[in-house]
């Protein structure tokens, strides 16, 4: 609990943590299990980490669950992930008592109709929650998001000199939340994989070799502790 309360005011505290939930496949492979078993284990980790973030008083958590590039995967894996999402959406009553608000970012249009309905239902029923706000990124790609923002801006008929950084931000899926200040990627990969590429301009990064299904609150605690010691200058001195 005390992670934030114990922190002296002069130390930076993250407002918005974004996590690339990576390593499910390798976790399963190590156990000679199908990749989908890794995704099931990863979904459990997500629930545990979201609850932990809520407990320590974090405001925003955004997790990468399925990228615009992940459609390239074998059909049965994609189906497995979509079924897992379906089950999860039917079962999020458990977040209710935690006062967690659930939102989704990405191009949701190509998703199955029942999934879209469930997403809407989950967003609506948790809309009044005042605790942690969780964004789940599904069929999300940073370049796709920026391309869509440009299309919307052009279609609105604004003149070039009216185009500002703020206007672009306002046309992204994340228009109503602050930029992530801390991006975490487990599984030993050191890349963004098209995640929040506009929003991460001044984020701090933390990498770990731990595979996502093995990721525990203690790892997040370690990461946040390191964040407290980062010197964020934003181009200043
Ligand atoms: C992340 O785990 C989950 C998704 C991309 C849907 P991976 O499935 O990418 O796991 P690895 O990287 O193959 O281990
Ligand atoms: C990024 O992981 C997407 C998600 C975690 C949902 P990937 O496993 O798809 O990324 P790459 O292919 O290793 O860059
Ligand atoms: Mg991966």
């Amino acid at each position: 609990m005390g992670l934030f309360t114990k922190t002296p005011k002069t130390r930076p505290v993250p407002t918005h943590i974004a996590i690339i939930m990576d390593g499910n496949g390798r976790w399963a492979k190590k156990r000679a299990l199908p990749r989908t078993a890794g995704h099931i284990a990863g979904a459990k980790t997500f629930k545990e980490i979201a609850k932990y973030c809520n407990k320590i008083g974090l405001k925003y958590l955004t997790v990468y669950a399925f990228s615009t590039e992940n459609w390239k995967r074998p059909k049965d894996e994609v189906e497995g992930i979509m079924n897992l999402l379906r089950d999860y959406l039917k079962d999020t009553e458990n977040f209710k008592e935690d006062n967690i608000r659930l939102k989704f970012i990405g191009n949701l249009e190509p998703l199955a109709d029942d999934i879209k309905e469930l997403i809407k239902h989950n967003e609506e029923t948790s809309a009044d929650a005042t605790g942690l706000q969780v964004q789940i990124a599904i069929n999300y790609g940073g370049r796709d998001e920026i391309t869509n923002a440009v299309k919307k801006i052009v279609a609105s008929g604004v003149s070039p000199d009216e185009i500002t950084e703020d206007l672009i931000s306002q046309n992204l899926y994340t228009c109503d939340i602050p930029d992530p200040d801390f991006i975490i990627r487990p599984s030993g990969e050191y890349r963004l994989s098209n995640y929040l590429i506009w929003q991460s301009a001044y984020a701090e990064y933390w990498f770990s070799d731990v595979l996502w299904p093995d990721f525990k609150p203690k790892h997040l605690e370690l990461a946040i502790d390191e964040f407290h010691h980062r010197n964020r200058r934003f181009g200043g001195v």
Side-chain angles (χ1 to χ4, degrees):
M1 186 57 106
L3 252 186
F4 283 74
T5 43
K6 265 191 256 157
T7 308
K9 281 203 165 54
T10 48
R11 287 185 179 182
V13 166
T15 301
H16 180 181
I17 296 179
I19 303 181
I20 301 171
M21 306 191 291
D22 197 16
N24 296 350
R26 278 161 285 170
W27 182 92
K29 196 173 178 202
K30 262 172 59 181
R31 288 160 181 78
L33 294 168
R35 293 181 61 87
T36 304
H39 297 312
I40 293 171
K44 281 202 189 106
T45 298
F46 159 65
K47 286 188 195 176
E48 189 185 5
I49 293 298
K51 279 176 192 273
Y52 176 75
C53 287
N54 190 38
K55 196 174 84 172
I56 62 175
L58 185 74
K59 288 269 170 275
Y60 303 94
L61 170 71
T62 302
V63 294
Y64 208 1
F66 192 85
S67 75
T68 47
E69 287 72 33
N70 287 148
W71 298 105
K72 289 179 196 157
R73 295 188 177 204
K75 199 167 166 262
D76 63 338
E77 180 174 351
V78 171
E79 260 169 35
I81 294 169
M82 290 302 157
N83 283 331
L84 203 58
L85 174 62
R86 213 175 246 117
D87 291 347
Y88 171 75
L89 288 166
K90 286 179 185 162
D91 182 41
T92 38
E93 297 295 306
N94 51 22
F95 268 176
K96 246 186 191 162
E97 68 208 41
D98 296 313
N99 195 23
I100 293 177
R101 180 171 185 188
L102 206 55
K103 290 186 114 185
F104 290 80
I105 60 168
N107 178 11
L108 306 178
E109 200 38 49
L111 302 180
D113 287 343
D114 68 313
I115 292 183
K116 281 189 276 196
E117 273 304 309
L118 285 163
I119 285 177
K120 198 165 154 251
H121 175 75
N122 274 270
E123 288 187 335
E124 281 170 8
T125 51
S126 69
D128 295 331
T130 53
L132 175 73
Q133 179 171 313
V134 176
Q135 282 74 226
I136 302 184
I138 303 274
N139 192 26
Y140 174 88
R143 288 188 171 185
D144 182 59
E145 179 182 40
I146 295 167
T147 306
N148 287 333
V150 171
K151 284 183 189 167
K152 278 192 268 175
I153 291 168
V154 170
S156 75
V158 300
S159 65
D161 56 350
E162 286 173 310
I163 297 175
T164 60
E165 291 186 8
D166 275 347
L167 184 68
I168 294 171
S169 294
Q170 282 157 23
N171 281 279
L172 301 176
Y173 299 123
T174 50
C175 56
D176 50 3
I177 55 171
D179 286 342
D181 34 30
F182 200 23
I183 295 186
I184 292 176
R185 182 163 196 163
S187 93
E189 307 295 354
Y190 300 84
R191 52 179 174 262
L192 273 180
S193 301
N194 205 8
Y195 194 39
L196 301 172
I197 53 175
W198 171 275
Q199 299 89 335
S200 64
Y202 263 105
E204 297 293 322
Y205 293 84
W206 193 82
F207 298 97
S208 158
D209 286 340
V210 175
L211 301 173
W212 177 247
D214 292 327
F215 200 89
K216 298 282 172 241
K218 71 174 180 200
H219 299 113
L220 190 56
E221 198 177 333
L222 208 69
I224 293 173
D225 198 49
E226 203 178 300
F227 185 92
H228 294 327
H229 296 91
R230 298 281 174 93
N231 183 1
R232 308 189 75 198
R233 286 187 289 275
F234 301 100
V237 288

